[in-house]
Amino acid sequence: MADMGDGPVVDTFKVGIAQMSYDWTRHGSAEENLLKARDFTKRAARAKCRVVIFGEYFLGDVPVETLPNAQIIELQAQAKRSRINIVCGITRNRISEQPREQYLTSVVIGKRGEILSMVNKAVYNPTERPWFDKVDVVEPVEIDGVPCGILAGYDSAVSKVPRLLAEKGAEVLLGQISVSSVEERETMQAAVITRANANSVPFAAVGQLGEFMKRQYLGGSIAVMPRTVKYGVMEVADGVDIMMRMEEEEDLGVVEFDLRALRAMRKKFSHQELVPEGLS
């Protein structure tokens, strides 16, 4: 880490991407899912990751109750033992028995076992809207001193949420994508690439893998980093480097983002500043 006068600045940010296969409905699967999640957390800690991210509904069909539930509390204890931050995949969060007083929530756990944030996702699916409350505000979550934007579901496909997080200072985007066909996987991976490029922010997204609601989900985790290239003496912002891309394998992906290089690039180039005047 460097010291820039206002305290230490994190120069690199290593992420563990836990593409974990899980079962939604089989008897006893919730306990197995939790054991797997703890194992992935320990593996990410051994790889010296700052944070490990999990996919949507990674705990399976657990009872709908107010978070943190028993499984999240277990992961808080594991985070403290392993000294690693955890971004949990969205889990149903009951505020009350009334419709629209529930959220789909990503619990962000700190490396001391504390809850850093409860990130409620925006709900786009019309069939879900009667059951899950509307989210109007998005804010980055600070993880080891780095402002991170937490996204899930179609957040990656909709430009507004990543843009708002970047405008509010997010230096890294950590997302969850959910795909049940090869074509959808390619589409969502392309969306991650596009959001990273448009906002000049590295993006690590973990894919949902396994059976959910009698449908198979096909992973597709991906991590990308904005880059510059030189054309002769001219340096320009030019797309992203794909640092990791998975298909349907169950594995832990590890990527390390060079935030120092990113900050230097953003001082020279910003796609957000290149929008012609009068367009929004």
Side-chain angles (χ1 to χ4, degrees):
M1 291 199 286
D3 192 327
M4 299 181 66
D6 294 323
V9 176
V10 176
D11 289 331
T12 62
F13 195 78
K14 186 180 280 191
V15 181
I17 302 170
Q19 185 163 292
M20 183 188 103
S21 178
Y22 75 100
D23 191 293
W24 175 254
T25 53
R26 182 173 48 79
H27 178 72
S29 61
E31 291 80 4
E32 293 174 17
N33 296 335
L34 177 60
L35 287 172
K36 272 192 179 184
R38 290 174 58 184
D39 182 62
F40 270 95
T41 300
K42 289 185 277 189
R43 287 172 60 188
R46 288 195 294 270
K48 301 189 182 306
C49 296
R50 291 184 180 274
V51 62
V52 58
I53 61 177
F54 287 96
E56 293 191 4
Y57 301 110
F58 73 116
L59 293 172
D61 190 14
V62 296
V64 183
E65 53 192 336
T66 302
L67 298 181
N69 57 14
Q71 290 82 6
I72 297 294
I73 291 170
E74 285 271 358
L75 289 175
Q76 288 180 258
Q78 186 63 61
K80 185 175 182 179
R81 286 193 295 269
S82 297
R83 301 289 294 172
I84 188 172
N85 304 285
I86 301 174
V87 177
C88 298
I90 58 169
T91 303
R92 294 170 296 177
N93 185 11
R94 185 184 298 283
I95 307 302
S96 82
E97 296 294 330
Q98 298 299 316
R100 297 189 63 81
E101 293 192 6
Q102 300 178 48
Y103 292 95
L104 298 174
T105 301
S106 289
V107 181
V108 184
I109 303 170
K111 61 188 178 184
R112 297 177 182 84
E114 76 279 27
I115 291 179
L116 298 177
S117 184
M118 298 264 202
V119 180
N120 300 319
K121 76 174 289 291
V123 174
Y124 303 99
N125 190 328
T127 61
E128 291 179 332
R129 287 177 182 163
W131 293 99
F132 298 103
D133 210 345
K134 185 180 178 182
V135 175
D136 296 311
V137 178
V138 294
E139 295 288 345
V141 179
E142 189 170 293
I143 299 176
D144 274 10
V146 175
C148 296
I150 311 300
L151 305 101
Y154 287 103
D155 289 347
S156 302
V158 179
S159 62
K160 186 174 183 180
V161 177
R163 173 58 61 91
L164 284 172
L165 288 165
E167 289 176 348
K168 292 183 177 185
E171 289 196 295
V172 175
L173 297 177
L174 302 174
Q176 304 151 40
I177 59 176
S178 187
V179 301
S180 56
S181 71
V182 172
E183 293 79 8
E184 189 179 17
R185 184 168 66 201
E186 292 174 352
T187 299
M188 291 304 294
Q189 289 179 338
V192 168
I193 292 168
T194 302
R195 303 305 163 225
N197 182 54
N199 296 293
S200 302
V201 179
F203 198 154
V206 57
Q208 185 179 13
L209 182 66
E211 183 273 329
F212 172 65
M213 297 289 189
K214 299 182 179 180
R215 200 168 188 176
Q216 289 297 317
Y217 283 77
L218 305 181
S221 299
I222 185 170
V224 299
M225 176 78 178
R227 68 178 185 181
T228 62
V229 296
K230 283 192 174 182
Y231 294 100
V233 297
M234 182 174 64
E235 184 181 16
V236 297
D238 186 60
V240 302
D241 287 319
I242 298 176
M243 304 176 70
M244 185 220 70
R245 175 154 46 187
M246 293 185 186
E247 293 185 356
E248 297 167 48
E249 65 270 32
E250 181 178 36
D251 203 358
L252 177 73
V254 176
V255 296
E256 188 166 26
F257 295 129
D258 185 344
L259 299 185
R260 176 181 285 183
L262 176 77
R263 294 179 189 121
M265 187 194 87
R266 292 179 74 172
K267 286 181 180 179
K268 297 179 182 178
F269 309 102
S270 171
H271 289 122
Q272 295 183 35
E273 295 174 359
L274 297 178
V275 177
E277 187 175 351
L279 294 183
S280 60

